[in-house]
Each structure stands twice: as C-alpha cells, then as structure tokens.
C-alpha cells in the first residue's frame, strides 16, 4: 500500500470533505466516524501524510507523536470513556484490513466491546 494524497482523510484535512470535528490541534484532528461501530467511535489522525503506524513511528517528529498520543487520551476523557474503558485500534496493511492509506486510530467505547479478535473456527 502506498500513500495516496487524495485519500478521504487527506481530503478532510484539506477541507474538501466535511467532518464532524471532536478536537483539533497543530498536529492532529479527531472526528466522528461516519459508520460508527460503537456508541462512541472517533477517528484520530495525524495531519502529516503518514501511511501507517510503522511509517508514523519511523518518520514523525517527537511533537507529532506526542500530539497523537495526547489527542487519543483527550478524546477518551472528553467522551467519558476513561472511567469505564475503551479500545484504541489502528489497522495496518492488507492483513490488518486497513481501508484508507492514511494512519488513523479508532477510539471506540460506550458499551462492552467484547473480545478483541474473532476466534477462528476449526
């Protein structure tokens, strides 16, 4: 997978596609997922053109990495998830079912989320 500068998140960052913003800072944007999988489902993305977690961890500045981490915590606290719990998910690559070639973290909560992975059937 290669970074596509016309992916949906890059277009949201450029203001070409609207989003329901939750929070924003110099390095990150958090917004509601248009197809929520839980009562709270917020996407947190870096503003830089990073394909995946491994790309981001290798190339992002310390300030960008700190901002992404802080934004995830901020979203969870402001959504009231910190006390009851939540899940942070980053799909990476084909096997990880990454649909958009821009790093994005899903912050999910608001109900019991069940097991993290489906167990394979024999």
């Amino acid at each position: 997978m290669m970074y596509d500068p016309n992916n949906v998140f890059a277009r949201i960052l450029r203001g070409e596609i609207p989003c329901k913003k939750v929070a924003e800072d110099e390095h990150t944007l958090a917004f509601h997922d248009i197809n929520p999988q839980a009562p709270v489902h917020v996407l947190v993305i870096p503003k830089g053109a990073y394909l995946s977690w491994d790309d981001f961890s290798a190339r992002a500045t310390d300030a960008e990495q700190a901002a992404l981490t802080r934004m995830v915590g901020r979203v969870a606290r402001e959504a009231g998830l910190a006390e009851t719990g939540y899940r942070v998910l980053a799909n990476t690559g084909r096997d990880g079912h990454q649909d958009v070639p821009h790093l994005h973290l899903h912050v999910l909560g608001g109900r019991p989320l069940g097991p993290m992975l489906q167990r394979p059937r024999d």
Side-chain angles (χ1 to χ4, degrees):
M1 184 179 288
M2 300 208 36
Y3 189 84
D4 175 3
N6 290 311
N7 73 71
V8 66
F9 297 149
R11 294 181 68 205
I12 286 171
L13 288 168
R14 290 194 300 264
E16 297 170 7
I17 296 175
C19 71
K20 189 175 173 188
K21 188 185 311 183
V22 172
E24 183 175 16
D25 64 23
E26 179 183 358
H27 299 292
T28 62
L29 175 65
F31 54 95
H32 291 281
D33 193 295
I34 61 169
N35 185 25
Q37 304 298 304
V40 176
H41 187 167
V42 175
L43 298 173
V44 180
I45 64 172
K47 290 184 175 178
Y50 298 104
L51 177 63
S52 62
W53 190 259
D54 55 297
D55 179 32
F56 181 77
S57 67
R59 297 190 310 111
T61 66
D62 289 347
E64 289 172 306
Q65 292 185 37
L68 189 69
T69 300
R70 287 189 180 109
M71 184 61 75
V72 167
R74 175 181 170 186
V75 165
R77 286 188 305 277
E78 290 180 2
L81 302 176
E83 190 170 309
T84 59
Y86 58 97
R87 181 171 293 156
V88 179
L89 176 68
N91 298 320
T92 301
R94 183 188 68 240
D95 287 352
H97 290 269
Q98 182 178 0
D99 293 327
V100 179
H102 186 109
L103 173 61
H104 54 288
L105 305 179
H106 299 259
V107 179
L108 302 133
R111 67 169 170 78
L113 298 172
M116 191 160 58
L117 296 173
Q118 293 179 348
R119 299 183 193 279
R121 293 183 176 170
D122 293 330

